Every structure is written in C-alpha cells, then in structure tokens.
Amino acid sequence: MRAVLTWRDKAELCIYDLAFKPDGTQLILAAGNRLLVYDTSDGTLLQPLKGHKDTVYCVAYAKDGKRFASGSADKSVIIWTSKLEGILKYTHNDSIQCVSYNPVTHQLASCSSSDFGLWSPEQKSVSKHKSSSKITCCSWTNDGQYLALGMFNGIISIRNKNGEEKVKIERPGGSLSPIWSICWSPSREEHNDILAVADWGQKLSFYQLSGKQIGKDRSLNFDPCCLSYFTKGEYILLGGSDKQVSLFTKDGVRLGTVGEQNSWVWTCKVKPDSNYVVVGCQDGTISFYQLIFSTVHGLYKDRYAYRDSMTDVIVQHLITEQKVRIKCKELVKKIAIYKNRLAIQLPEKILIYELYSDDSSDMHYRVKEKIVKKFECNLLVVCADHIILCQEKRLQCLSFSGVKEREWQMESLIRYIKVIGGPPGREGLLVGLKNGQILKIFVDNLFAIVLLKQATAVRCLDMSASRNKLAVVDENDTCLVYDIHTKELLFQEPNANSVAWNTQCEDMLCFSGGGYLNIKASTFPVHQQKLQGFVVGYNGSKIFCLHVFSMSAVEVPQSAPMYQYLDRKMFKEAYQIACLGVTDTDWHELAMEALEGLEFETAKKAFTRVQDLRYLELINSIEERKKRGETNNDLFLADVFSYQGKFHEAAKLYKRSGHENLALDMYTDLRMFEYAKDFLGSGDPKETKMLITKQADWARNINEPKAAVEMYISAGEHVKAIEITGDHGWVDMLIDIARKLDKAEREPLLMCAYYFKKLDNPGYAAETYLKIGDLKSLVQLHVETQRWDEAFALGEKHPEFKDDIYVPYAQWLAENDRFEEAQKAFHKAGRQREAVRVLEQLTHNAVVESRFNDAAYYYWMLSMQCLDIAQDPAQKDMMLDKFRHFQHLAELYHGYHAIQRYTEEPFSFHLPETLFNISRFLLHSLTKDTPLGISKVNTLFTLAKQSKALGAYKLARHAYDKLQGLQIPARFQKSIELGSLTIRSKPFHDSEELVPLCYRCSTNNPLLNNLGNVCINCRQPFVFSASSYEVLHLVEFYLEEGITDEEAVSLIDLEAPRHKRENKWQEITNNNSQTLRLDETMDSMGDDDPFTAKLSFEQGGSEFVPVVVSRSVLRSMSRRDVLIKRWPPPLQWQYFRSLLPDASITMCPSCFQMFHSEDYELLVLQHTCCPYCRRRIDDPSP
C-alpha cells in the first residue's frame, strides 16, 4: 500500500472536523469560525460559509445528501442545505463538541459539554438529555436504532433513538483515558454491530452493541484524535498526536502510514466508495491522498494465492473453485506458491506452509516453518525446500531455517522469475532480465545458464511442456517464440502483455493484450476472442486470467486450432486438440472428417466420445471387411457417404466400384423409387418389376400411408386401403372409398361403417348401412350415438325394432337422471316391470327427500300404471287394489306437501282455511297406518294453529291434547306448550262458519269426524277440492242396472225443458235508475227436480245407501250439472251431480281431480299444467 498526494491546501486556522458530501463531490471543513467548502476533484475552495460566532468544532452530512450540520463553541448548531444555505439554528447551554446524522431517519444528534439533543425535520423542538460528563464524540449504528456517545470521563453510553440509555461501557482507564473518537463499523458482512473506540489512554478497542469487548485493547503509542472507517468497513484510519495518519485493518492491525504531517492530525476521513483519504491538521493543512493497494499474489498451475484485506491470504483452486483463507493478522508483503508449498512474507518474518496431503484437490494448509527475520525483496519464490529472494540484481537462496545457501548476481535488473519444476531441492528457475537476457538457474547450482539473449527487456516468460520452446513477452508488447535448442526465433506476434503455454499440448500457446485473447497452434494463424486482463496459465481448455484483483478460469473451446489441423488433414493432431476441450458438434465434425479421410482409428475414438453407435458399427464392419481382404477404398467411402446421407455420391462410387445392385438396394430401402428408376434408366424389365414389388412392400409398411392407400385402391385391395385410412382417421378419403364401392361389396362397406362410427361420424355410417340395407345395424348405430329422433322415426316405419330402441332409450334416460321420461319410455316399450320399478324408486326417493308433491305425482303415475296392467284378467284384482292404494297415497302426499311447507319454511303459501281443511282431511284419512314421511305432529300442529286462528277452539284444544301424547321436535316444543296454555283461555266451542255441510242430507258435520271423510248422517263420502280441500257441492250417483255408460251420457246430453233461471230476475227501469230484483214468488227450481227427490234419506241405518238414478232422472239432468270420471276399464265410470250449478267446478280430464274453476285456472296459469297430475294444458290427450 502506498499513498499518493493528490492535492494540498492550507487554511489559517486549525481544522477540527470535516465531512464529505455522500456523493463525494464536495468536502466541508470546520476551520476557525467558518466552514470551508472544497471541490474534492482538484482542491478548489468553492465557498467559505459564515454563520458561527466562535470556533466550529464539528460538522456532519446527512446520508441522503440534502443537509449538513455544524456545531460551534458559540453553543449553536446550524442546519445547512446542500446548496450551502443556512436554514435553521438551535442552541445548547455549552459549546457543541460533536454532531452526527442518523443514516436512516436523518435525525440529528448534537452533543455539548453537558447534554445532547435529538432533532429531526418533522419535529419543531429539540429533545435534550443531560449528560454526566463532557461528550467528546458520537456515532449512529448502521440501522439508525442506537447512538453511541463517548465521554471525557472514559465512559461510553449507548442510547436508543429516544435518547434513553440502553448500555453503559466503563473503560478500565476511567477519567484518565478520555474517549476521544468512536465509530460504528459500516460493514454489512458482520453479524453484530461493532464499535471502534480510540481513547487518550493510547488504546484502540472494539465492542459489540451489548457492551461486550471484542478481543483485547491494542496499544497505539500516541493520543488518537480521529478514527474513521472505509465505506465498506474493511479498513480503519487513525490520526492524532503522532502527526500522521495510520491505516489499520478492521481488526486493529496496523498496515502503514498514509501521510506524515507537521502537526497533530485532528480529523481524517475517507471519500465515500473510494480509496481517497483527506487529512485535517492543527496547523490548518488539508491533504488529499489516493491510497494505492498493489496486488500481492502467486500462481502455480491451478492454485492461485492472493492477499485479501491486507492481512489475509486466500488460496483459490482455479479448477474446483474451492477457496481457503489464511489469517496472518499482520500486513502481508509477498506471497509465493509452488506445488504443495506456500510462502508468505510478513513485516518481521516469512511463514512457509505445506498441504496436509498429496491430494490434488486438498486445500488444508499448515505451517511448516517460520523464518523470523526481516527481509527486503522485490520478488519472492518458494521451492520444495528453499525460498528465493530477489533483490534488484541479486538472487538469494535460503533454506526453510533461514540459512543463506547460495547467491547469484545478475548483470541487469531482474524483471521476471518463475519456478519451472524439477526434483525437490534441484528445481529450475526461469529468469528474465531487463537487458533481454533469459537465464535458467538450478537451485543447487551456482552457475546460471544463459538460454538466449534478445535486444529488448523481458516482461513475461514461459517454457513449453517439453522444455523445447520458450515464449517471451518484451517491453514492446511483442510475443516472441524461440526454439531453445537452436536459439531460432520461430515466430512473433504483436500486442501481447502476457503469455502462457498449454501444459497439456506442446504446440499450443495463448497470449493476451489489447483486450483480446490470442490462441496459436503450431504455425497456424492466431485465433482471437475478447478477454480483459492478463493470461497467467493455460491448462487444457482452461485459460487462467487475472483481471484487476480477481483470478478466473475461462473455459475456451479449442475449436479454431482443431479446424486448422483438420483443413490440413492432420487428424491425429486435431484429435489431440479436441481432447483439450471442444464442443460436441466439433467432435462430430472431427469424426466425420476422419471417417471420410479413412482414418478409422481417429474416427472411432471421436465417435466413441459422442456415443454415436451407428457409425461405430459401420467402422467395425469396414475393419472386419479389411481383415477379410477387401481393399476397395471406393466401396468403403460409398458406405460412409450413404451413412452420411450423401446418397448420390454414394451411388456414383458404388457404380464406379461395380456394385450397382448396392446402389439400387440403397434407393429402394430409402423409398427413393424415383431416383431408383432414374438410376436404372431403360434397363432390364425384370429389375423394373422387382422395383415395383419393393414399392408395394414399402406401401404395406405405411411409411407413406396416403400413397399406400392410393396404391392399394389401384390394386383393388380395398380392405387394406380402408384399414389404413380408418386407422389414420382420414374421413374424407374414407367417404370417397365408401361411395365408390358397389353395395354388393358388403365386407368393405361394413368396415367403412365401423370406422365411421369409431371416428365419430355417425351420419356417414348411417349412409353406409342404408346403402347395404342393414337396418338392424342402423338402429343400433342411432342408439349408440343417442340420435333418438332418427331412431324413433325408424321405429315408426319398422315396429319390429321398437324394443331395440325404447329399452336403451329408457336406460339412457335413467342414467342421465331423467327418471320420469325413462319410466314413460319403459312403459312405451311394454316393459311394465321396469316402468313400475323406476317409479317406485322415484317415489321412495321423493318421500325420503321430503319432495311430497313429487311423491304424490309419482304415486298417481304408479296407480295409473297399475290400472293399465289391471286390464290383464289374471292380475286384475291385485292391480286394482294397488291402484286404489296408490291413489289414496297420492291424495295424502299431495295434501301433506302444503303441511310440510308450512312447518318447515318461514313463509306460508296457503290460506289459513286451506291449511285447516288439509290438516282435517289428513287426520280423517290417517285412521290406520301413517305412510312414510307424513308426520302426525306436523299435521296436528298445523291443525291446532289454524283452528285457533279461525276460531275452532274446541278442535284446537283437541289437537293440542293429542300432541301431548306424541314425541315433539324441540323447535315446536315451546310453541306447542304456549299454545296449549293460551287455548285454555278461549271458549270451548267451534265457530259455526267452519262446520262442514253434507250436500246430500244437509246435515252439519262435526269438525272432527270419527267416521273419516264421510257424512255422519247419510254416510255419503265427501268430495274435496284438490286445491283448497273444501267439501265440494257434489253428490255421487250410480246408474240403475241395465244402463250402460254410453246410454247414461246420451240421456244426460238430452236437455230436458226447464225453467229459465233468468226469469227470477226482474229489471225495472225509470228515468234515474236501473234496478235488478230477485223475484221470490217464483217457484223454486229444486221442487220439481227428480234427482233432489232421490237424495231423501231415512235416519237410522249405519250402512251407506248410494243414490241410484233411473233413465228418467238421467234425462232430467242438465249436462253442465253432471261431472263424469271416465275411468279406463276395468273400472266403472263415476258420476257426480253439482247441487249448486252456478258455482262452477272443473275436473282435470287426466287425473279426474275436482277443483273450484277459479282455483284451477289460477293454478294452471302458475304451473302451465294440472297441479295434481301435471298434464300440460297444451296436451290434447286426456
């Protein structure tokens, strides 16, 4: 390390402190009561700043470069902008000793003799904290979290951002060792914050943030006034009473002097991110130095040793990239490395290290010897048992114990020295002198051997691996290569700064210069590529290059010299170069060139390297043939060309060597039939026929399938053509084949259809089946492709396929969860058992899932299925029982759907009267077993709630009492208990408005009827509306024996003369009004109605006596008053007479359920179908 003075200036007053602008362009100095601003590039004084009234002791710049602060003996702190304008001033009670900006928050710490203050741009006031002693110095940690204060009483106080003391460090010297300068290390590599402390006990110490000391105190032998780190924390600067600035390592090891001064050094700082140092002195001198750190290093083959941080040596293995660090803890002056030896010169001694083992990759060094003696030398070289010191013109050979064994005196200055190997203790040295002499010296020989003498000074030397050639770089940047034995200059190349022979190849060397790397093989032209730095070694394909301070191994493909050898057909030399390192493509090229040159040995090695088995087999076969006595090189070369794809050249060589048949075989094997034909010309017709046969074989192998198909078609081999076309999915070609084929050719057409199906083209498959008239396959195709409309259309024309269509259709529907349609399809296909089974499963699912309206619909469908099956006399009775049972269940579930929705959902969709009627209807119907899913609790709960709401208190009380005996869900518990209590406060009777009336005997029935849904007097069953569940004004009547349904309908259709009801109304009109009056005097219509007379009933019998009508009564009835349930056989039709013709009733023609006409119309509008059987309104079938 040496310091070069860049500029110097003299201020009249003592320089107490200085600070760099963070970008390094400006320097602020505290000189007297002024601040001086310098340009760092040339030392120009830019501007003096006046603002303080007394001596300025301290100055600090913010990390962001926007502001700087100065503190003075006038007790004030001034904040300045980067434009050199004062913007703010605040004061302390004593003179300001030091200022420091927080590197993160830009908070300013200002310290005086009695306190310190913290100020930031955001806060208006300065927060001040008392100090027990005078604060001499301060420093913030890198992260800006803590502030260290150095005190005059020898104490270091570490505070947080709020000024609270966190750590207190008491130094052993106490007040006898005032802390004069402290600084936190800016290094990012350290795990802990490290504080460097310099005190006037003449000690340098290091501490962690916790207050723990790192290492021991280091004695300085002078009073330190200033301490500062380099930007990255690698070095420390110290200046003080010794009138100089010293450079230390970050661990406190002194490395040397930066600059000697004439007075005390009060301040020294490093320019940010550089090696420039500025020094401020007592006498006002400002000195600006550049520190130059020279490279100290050594290289031997693939091991490179270099100095790091001035006190460490790093040994780098250039091949494996392993590194090992040797800490010397002293300034490293020289390094030498050779084989397993490493020599390091320190200021007072030389250390010799050796490797632990002989392993070439071992990187563990241990100290072998120490020579404790101070040496001055220019160059240091180490051998197996000696060290060689170079001092100007003299070489000294010392043993490892420090004893001088030999000395050589040269004629001129020694410019270059290198160990070139040899047995231990007898190594050879290559020495280059300034006068151009090149010598060879053996360690054990006093006499130097002059190899040659040239006119210009030597800069760099290297000897080839076999010691036959010598490469020299002279001071004119010329690389000269000599033959050592003849002293002849072989060649020379310009623009060289260093040279190295390849250690693995005698004829190759490389040299660097002018930003280029030059590789030269033998006497061929130089190959250039860009490279910065100096070449220091060349091993195989790796070139070791030193650029500035870093050594790198550059992988250089040796392609260029290899091709230079190949151009001259020097295959063996080219192979040697390739072995150093070329790309796979280069290896392949070498192999091909050697093969074409019939150099089979080299070709075999090269093909083995690229693992090309095909060519290796070819070489083996040629070698076998040569052993058998074949000598025709044209034939061998023809085989090589055919392997390389040079078929025409191969054919010419085959012809020339008289083997036309081999050329023909080659073309036919390659399917090059056109070339084969050209080659044959108008030759033997047998040969031509053989060619066509081979072409057919080729077509069969489907290497050109389209051409193969065309050939098969032309040959009439339709099946094979279809097979290839189908396998390749060429639908268009398949269509052409199918359409060209005659319908008699059944097998090919069936194959076409099979491939159409496979390739998802059912339309063409259908066309093909129609062509051959295979309707069964066509039906099967429609079913498989689920083209049901076409299948149904075909089924209509050919009923024999109906089963083949509807059964798969139903199964498909069932698989796609379309069970209702599936059930209908099974029914249509005549598969009653499957139809019923699907319906039963649907019904069960609907009940389990509480879809009671669906359950009712499915039960109705089941009943109709049973009725359908009942037409079979063998199953009539059983199926009719099932029909009635399912009809009953359908009615129950249809009603219960409303109850379930009422109890489960938050809002009711039905009127209270409807819910009241439904729950009564259900309770009357549930006299025996309760069907699955229907809850008596829900029904009674609904009845109780609606009864209470409608005034049927007696019935409500009865319902609540019934509920007490049932298991009630928790959600109803509270409501039922409350209802049971509150109903007691209501009168014990029911509202008369709710009492149902029997339209046959006009008896008022109780709301709770033990007989069920029949009149307690006449036992006539009630007919309920399927929506509101009110009792409809209908009375069922039966026909006298002998009257058929058709006759009854015809009698009813005969309209008998009867009174016009309109005559009851009288219209009276006068000038002012129009009045419509009902005339009560007219005869009642019912008096002469024969049906009304039939309704009379004698009380007393418990049996139900139906109303039976004769022909005359039927004749008297009006068609609009009679509703007929036209059940399909074997059931009888049912007849109902409306007793209130004006109140219209509608009956669904499908399920025969009765509704008030208005209700029915509204429900149909809502659902677009009958709410019970779901028959759509646009469905014409009943």
Side-chain angles (χ1 to χ4, degrees):
M1 183 273 297
R2 58 195 174 92
V4 179
L5 183 67
T6 307
W7 56 264
R8 178 174 276 167
D9 197 15
K10 184 85 182 269
E12 297 302 320
L13 297 158
C14 171
I15 311 294
Y16 277 113
D17 200 5
L18 56 85
F20 278 99
K21 192 174 181 179
D23 64 5
T25 56
Q26 286 180 6
L27 177 66
I28 316 291
L29 282 92
N33 58 4
R34 293 187 305 169
L35 294 176
L36 304 178
V37 184
Y38 280 88
D39 183 330
T40 56
S41 61
D42 55 7
T44 309
L45 177 62
L46 298 175
Q47 188 178 337
L49 300 177
K50 295 178 183 177
H52 291 289
K53 296 171 183 169
D54 205 339
T55 307
V56 182
Y57 285 145
C58 50
V59 62
Y61 226 117
K63 193 78 176 278
D64 61 1
K66 291 179 181 176
R67 298 185 183 89
F68 63 92
S70 58
S72 164
D74 66 2
K75 305 176 186 177
S76 67
V77 176
I78 298 178
I79 313 289
W80 308 80
T81 66
S82 58
K83 294 177 182 174
L84 312 180
E85 297 165 348
I87 54 166
L88 187 124
K89 186 175 189 176
Y90 68 85
T91 59
H92 283 261
N93 295 330
D94 286 293
S95 61
I96 313 301
Q97 299 298 317
C98 54
V99 287
S100 179
Y101 270 103
N102 187 311
V104 178
T105 62
H106 308 305
Q107 191 178 19
L108 176 67
S110 55
C111 309
S112 75
S113 300
S114 58
D115 64 355
F116 69 95
L118 295 170
W119 174 83
S120 60
E122 300 84 42
Q123 64 190 66
K124 293 177 182 175
S125 61
V126 180
S127 61
K128 292 183 181 173
H129 306 268
K130 286 283 179 193
S131 167
S132 58
S133 174
K134 177 180 179 179
I135 302 169
T136 57
C137 47
C138 62
S139 177
W140 286 97
T141 54
N142 288 335
D143 57 7
Q145 295 296 316
Y146 297 97
L147 172 69
L149 304 174
M151 311 276 198
F152 197 77
N153 61 4
I155 288 171
I156 300 156
S157 175
I158 299 177
R159 311 276 179 143
N160 65 10
K161 287 193 291 185
N162 301 323
E164 299 158 355
E165 186 169 80
K166 293 294 175 185
V167 179
K168 185 175 182 182
I169 302 169
E170 295 190 15
R171 304 271 290 136
S175 56
L176 296 175
S177 302
I179 309 294
W180 209 258
S181 188
I182 59 174
C183 189
W184 290 100
S185 168
S187 173
R188 301 280 175 195
E189 295 171 7
E190 303 289 346
H191 298 300
N192 301 309
D193 288 306
I194 295 173
L195 180 67
V197 179
D199 65 26
W200 276 14
Q202 300 194 348
K203 297 279 193 300
L204 171 64
S205 310
F206 298 93
Y207 289 90
Q208 290 182 2
L209 181 60
S210 60
K212 183 183 176 184
Q213 186 168 356
I214 304 166
K216 294 178 181 176
D217 294 341
R218 295 182 182 269
S219 182
L220 296 173
N221 300 321
F222 65 91
D223 289 332
C225 297
C226 53
L227 179 154
S228 65
Y229 274 95
F230 271 56
T231 310
K232 291 178 182 168
E234 63 268 50
Y235 302 115
I236 296 172
L237 288 173
L238 267 174
S241 62
D242 62 345
K243 302 181 184 179
Q244 64 181 18
V245 175
S246 301
L247 183 72
F248 288 76
T249 66
K250 61 184 177 182
D251 300 319
V253 177
R254 190 177 188 281
L255 299 174
T257 303
V258 171
E260 294 195 5
Q261 310 296 327
N262 297 321
S263 61
W264 281 33
V265 175
W266 279 107
T267 178
C268 59
K269 293 275 170 70
V270 180
K271 182 181 172 184
D273 297 313
S274 76
N275 287 341
Y276 286 94
V277 172
V278 68
V279 179
C281 302
Q282 174 77 32
D283 61 3
T285 306
I286 306 125
S287 305
F288 200 74
Y289 295 95
Q290 181 185 8
L291 298 191
I292 297 166
F293 295 95
S294 56
T295 307
V296 176
H297 60 139
L299 173 82
Y300 182 76
K301 290 193 175 174
D302 49 17
R303 284 176 193 265
Y304 175 60
Y306 61 94
R307 182 174 69 181
D308 187 56
S309 303
M310 305 296 281
T311 59
D312 294 354
V313 173
I314 293 177
V315 182
Q316 177 184 354
H317 196 294
L318 297 171
I319 306 297
T320 63
E321 292 295 328
Q322 286 178 285
K323 286 184 180 180
V324 64
R325 179 184 290 270
I326 299 169
K327 293 194 172 188
C328 300
K329 297 185 179 175
E330 286 185 71
L331 176 65
V332 173
K333 298 182 79 174
K334 294 280 183 292
I335 298 170
I337 189 167
Y338 173 72
K339 290 188 179 175
N340 62 344
R341 297 282 187 263
L342 172 68
I344 302 172
Q345 184 188 6
L346 303 175
E348 304 293 333
K349 59 190 168 189
I350 294 176
L351 299 177
I352 291 110
Y353 290 82
E354 69 175 354
L355 284 173
Y356 271 81
S357 69
D358 294 331
D359 182 6
S360 61
S361 61
D362 183 26
M363 294 296 284
H364 296 87
Y365 284 89
R366 63 184 171 198
V367 175
K368 180 177 172 65
E369 297 287 348
K370 288 183 187 175
I371 304 174
V372 183
K373 198 185 277 187
K374 188 172 181 179
F375 294 100
E376 288 300 328
C377 64
N378 305 82
L379 299 166
L380 175 70
V381 175
V382 67
C383 299
D385 301 320
H386 301 87
I387 57 166
I388 314 295
L389 302 177
C390 169
Q391 298 154 341
E392 303 290 337
K393 297 180 182 180
R394 190 173 59 187
L395 276 182
Q396 285 185 343
C397 173
L398 279 73
S399 69
F400 286 165
S401 57
V403 177
K404 184 168 81 171
E405 292 187 356
R406 260 165 224 91
E407 185 172 300
W408 296 270
Q409 191 73 30
M410 303 296 156
E411 295 174 11
S412 172
L413 288 173
I414 299 167
R415 293 292 296 273
Y416 191 88
I417 183 166
K418 182 177 187 177
V419 187
I420 52 171
R426 289 167 28 202
E427 290 89 355
L429 305 175
L430 200 59
V431 180
L433 305 182
K434 191 176 180 182
N435 65 2
Q437 239 184 13
I438 297 156
L439 305 110
K440 191 174 180 181
I441 296 173
F442 290 98
V443 172
D444 62 341
N445 193 328
L446 268 171
F447 301 100
I449 303 161
V450 178
L451 292 179
L452 55 94
K453 174 90 166 64
Q454 59 170 35
T456 49
V458 175
R459 184 190 287 180
C460 179
L461 287 171
D462 198 20
M463 197 179 275
S464 68
S466 62
R467 309 277 195 273
N468 292 324
K469 293 177 186 172
L470 182 67
V472 183
V473 174
D474 68 8
E475 62 186 359
N476 299 327
D477 294 345
T478 307
C479 175
L480 305 110
V481 176
Y482 297 93
D483 184 307
I484 289 177
H485 304 300
T486 63
K487 310 286 191 286
E488 179 194 350
L489 177 65
L490 299 176
F491 59 83
Q492 64 181 53
E493 297 285 346
N495 302 321
N497 56 25
S498 66
V499 66
W501 285 97
N502 195 318
T503 55
Q504 295 180 21
C505 183
E506 171 70 18
D507 280 347
M508 284 187 75
L509 69 86
C510 66
F511 59 91
S512 56
Y516 282 94
L517 169 69
N518 304 271
I519 299 172
K520 187 171 179 74
S522 188
T523 54
F524 301 138
V526 167
H527 168 70
Q528 279 193 335
Q529 69 181 62
K530 284 195 173 180
L531 183 81
Q532 293 294 327
F534 297 85
V535 165
V536 291
Y538 189 8
N539 185 358
S541 63
K542 280 190 166 59
I543 288 176
F544 304 131
C545 170
L546 176 66
H547 182 48
V548 191
F549 299 120
S550 67
M551 176 72 80
S552 57
V554 182
E555 189 80 39
V556 181
Q558 308 296 317
S559 311
M562 186 198 82
Y563 284 114
Q564 288 172 333
Y565 280 117
L566 277 183
D567 290 344
R568 289 164 175 75
K569 304 292 180 192
M570 298 165 74
F571 299 117
K572 286 183 179 174
E573 289 83 351
Y575 175 75
Q576 282 183 329
I577 300 293
C579 289
L580 299 179
V582 292
T583 65
D584 280 354
T585 313
D586 297 333
W587 273 109
H588 202 269
E589 195 63 34
L590 168 63
M592 287 299 183
E593 291 279 344
L595 190 60
E596 286 180 25
L598 301 179
E599 177 59 57
F600 295 121
E601 196 56 41
T602 305
K604 190 192 282 189
K605 288 177 187 173
F607 280 125
T608 305
R609 174 69 174 71
V610 294
Q611 297 180 346
D612 194 325
L613 296 176
R614 211 158 51 92
Y615 280 105
L616 285 171
E617 285 172 4
L618 172 65
I619 293 168
N620 278 340
S621 73
I622 291 173
E623 285 178 340
E624 287 293 322
R625 282 155 58 191
K626 283 178 89 170
K627 282 178 189 173
R628 289 201 296 269
E630 283 189 39
T631 54
N632 191 335
N633 281 344
D634 279 352
L635 194 55
F636 296 149
L637 200 54
D639 288 346
V640 170
F641 282 153
S642 63
Y643 264 71
Q644 289 177 339
K646 300 174 181 175
F647 304 119
H648 303 313
E649 291 93 326
K652 285 173 189 171
L653 284 170
Y654 281 131
K655 197 167 187 177
R656 197 164 79 189
S657 61
H659 291 82
E660 288 92 343
N661 61 318
L662 291 176
L664 203 59
D665 287 345
M666 177 185 73
Y667 279 132
T668 51
D669 286 346
L670 293 166
R671 321 291 187 244
M672 295 178 165
F673 296 108
E674 297 306 316
Y675 290 127
K677 285 171 188 172
D678 292 346
F679 187 75
L680 275 174
S682 55
D684 188 356
K686 280 185 182 178
E687 293 277 358
T688 313
K689 192 173 180 183
M690 180 270 292
L691 192 62
I692 294 163
T693 308
K694 286 200 172 189
Q695 197 168 358
D697 292 341
W698 160 74
R700 197 175 296 116
N701 290 333
I702 323 168
N703 283 347
E704 278 292 337
K706 284 200 175 174
V709 169
E710 286 163 14
M711 289 171 67
Y712 275 129
I713 290 170
S714 62
E717 291 275 3
H718 291 118
V719 173
K720 287 183 179 178
I722 291 163
E723 203 174 304
I724 296 167
T725 312
D727 287 342
H728 284 81
W730 296 326
V731 177
D732 295 344
M733 201 178 276
L734 208 56
I735 294 163
D736 289 343
I737 295 170
R739 287 179 178 165
K740 284 174 186 171
L741 283 170
D742 189 76
K743 63 182 176 182
E745 296 187 74
R746 194 174 174 83
E747 188 191 347
L749 282 169
L750 280 171
M751 191 175 259
C752 283
Y754 163 75
Y755 278 114
F756 282 134
K757 273 164 67 176
K758 189 177 173 182
L759 297 169
D760 199 23
N761 279 278
Y764 295 123
E767 181 188 316
T768 311
Y769 283 132
L770 277 171
K771 186 171 182 176
I772 54 176
D774 190 347
L775 294 178
K776 188 169 180 67
S777 296
L778 186 58
V779 167
Q780 203 175 340
L781 172 73
H782 288 325
V783 167
E784 282 174 14
T785 55
Q786 296 163 10
R787 296 167 75 182
W788 301 112
D789 293 341
E790 289 93 326
F792 296 149
L794 201 61
E796 291 298 321
K797 291 178 191 170
H798 304 281
E800 66 270 20
F801 298 127
K802 212 164 188 180
D803 262 15
D804 294 338
I805 296 165
Y806 280 100
V807 172
Y809 177 57
Q811 285 166 345
W812 175 76
L813 288 169
E815 284 167 10
N816 286 281
D817 296 344
R818 292 163 64 181
F819 297 108
E820 292 174 28
E821 294 169 69
Q823 186 272 333
K824 286 172 184 169
F826 276 129
H827 190 59
K828 207 164 186 178
R831 297 287 187 92
Q832 300 294 357
R833 188 181 296 278
E834 281 92 337
V836 170
R837 187 165 56 77
V838 170
L839 259 185
E840 282 176 342
Q841 188 61 49
L842 279 174
T843 311
H844 179 73
N845 291 352
V847 171
V848 168
E849 293 166 20
S850 301
R851 293 183 287 106
F852 296 109
N853 55 340
D854 290 345
Y857 170 60
Y858 296 143
Y859 270 126
W860 173 78
M861 284 181 75
L862 262 174
S863 68
M864 298 312 286
Q865 298 270 308
C866 292
L867 189 58
D868 203 20
I869 298 167
Q871 293 178 23
D872 177 6
Q875 300 184 57
K876 176 181 172 185
D877 294 340
M878 184 178 77
M879 283 298 152
L880 283 178
D881 288 344
K882 277 196 170 187
F883 163 74
R884 294 188 187 96
H885 174 63
F886 290 150
Q887 281 274 325
H888 176 64
L889 285 175
E891 288 173 0
L892 289 182
Y893 281 121
H894 184 72
Y896 186 69
H897 175 64
I899 299 290
Q900 195 260 347
R901 285 187 76 180
Y902 172 69
T903 54
E904 298 295 329
E905 295 180 12
F907 301 106
S908 174
F909 295 88
H910 296 85
L911 295 170
E913 289 84 352
T914 305
L915 290 167
F916 176 73
N917 291 334
I918 292 171
S919 49
R920 279 183 55 252
F921 167 76
L922 284 172
L923 280 177
H924 289 149
S925 304
L926 298 171
T927 50
K928 293 177 185 174
D929 295 336
T930 307
L932 177 69
I934 293 180
S935 165
K936 265 195 173 180
V937 172
N938 286 2
T939 310
L940 283 166
F941 179 65
T942 307
L943 180 62
K945 293 269 283 188
Q946 301 310 323
S947 300
K948 187 176 174 185
L950 295 170
Y953 303 123
K954 183 178 176 182
L955 180 58
R957 191 179 291 193
H958 173 77
Y960 279 124
D961 290 346
K962 279 269 189 190
L963 280 167
Q964 298 302 327
L966 297 172
Q967 189 176 349
I968 299 162
R971 59 198 176 96
F972 292 155
Q973 192 79 41
K974 195 171 180 182
S975 178
I976 289 170
E977 286 173 1
L978 191 64
S980 300
L981 287 172
T982 53
I983 199 65
R984 305 284 176 197
S985 65
K986 304 294 181 185
F988 190 61
H989 63 75
D990 295 330
S991 170
E992 290 181 7
E993 292 176 9
L994 301 172
V995 174
L997 176 72
C998 173
Y999 285 96
R1000 177 175 175 184
C1001 65
S1002 301
T1003 305
N1004 281 338
N1005 277 263
L1007 289 172
L1008 205 63
N1009 190 340
N1010 292 333
L1011 297 175
N1013 290 317
V1014 296
C1015 174
I1016 56 166
N1017 180 33
C1018 62
R1019 307 290 196 274
Q1020 177 74 30
F1022 293 131
V1023 181
F1024 292 94
S1025 161
S1027 59
S1028 66
Y1029 281 82
E1030 293 175 6
V1031 175
L1032 295 174
H1033 45 271
L1034 295 174
V1035 175
E1036 185 177 1
F1037 62 87
Y1038 296 83
L1039 305 178
E1040 274 185 358
E1041 274 189 56
I1043 304 176
T1044 64
D1045 290 330
E1046 290 75 13
E1047 187 185 350
V1049 171
S1050 64
L1051 288 169
I1052 292 165
D1053 284 346
L1054 290 170
E1055 288 282 341
R1058 49 200 305 175
H1059 296 292
K1060 290 184 181 177
R1061 294 179 68 86
E1062 289 80 3
N1063 293 345
K1064 280 188 172 186
W1065 298 95
Q1066 286 191 343
E1067 191 176 325
I1068 303 161
T1069 309
N1070 58 25
N1071 293 336
N1072 300 323
S1073 64
Q1074 187 176 14
T1075 310
L1076 199 62
R1077 192 177 75 193
L1078 178 61
D1079 194 346
E1080 296 290 349
T1081 58
M1082 290 188 70
D1083 290 340
S1084 172
M1085 173 199 164
D1087 291 351
D1088 57 352
D1089 185 351
F1091 181 77
T1092 317
K1094 290 274 185 189
L1095 294 181
S1096 59
F1097 176 78
E1098 292 300 328
Q1099 183 67 38
S1102 61
E1103 293 295 321
F1104 166 56
V1105 179
V1107 178
V1108 181
V1109 296
S1110 62
R1111 287 181 175 81
S1112 60
V1113 177
L1114 285 168
R1115 202 177 291 115
S1116 70
M1117 289 183 190
S1118 168
R1119 181 69 191 86
R1120 68 191 184 89
D1121 297 343
V1122 178
L1123 294 166
I1124 306 168
K1125 291 186 178 180
R1126 301 170 188 255
W1127 294 106
L1131 282 183
Q1132 300 291 321
W1133 287 8
Q1134 284 179 277
Y1135 297 84
F1136 295 88
R1137 167 73 191 272
S1138 171
L1139 298 178
L1140 297 174
D1142 287 343
S1144 175
I1145 291 172
T1146 301
M1147 180 181 72
C1148 172
S1150 175
C1151 60
F1152 305 129
Q1153 288 293 329
M1154 311 287 193
F1155 302 85
H1156 286 297
S1157 295
E1158 289 177 358
D1159 291 353
Y1160 183 71
E1161 286 164 9
L1162 184 62
L1163 286 165
V1164 165
L1165 278 173
Q1166 285 176 351
H1167 303 290
T1168 69
C1169 61
C1170 168
Y1172 193 86
C1173 66
R1174 303 186 183 177
R1175 169 187 166 272
R1176 297 189 68 78
I1177 48 170
D1178 52 5
D1179 188 357
S1181 60

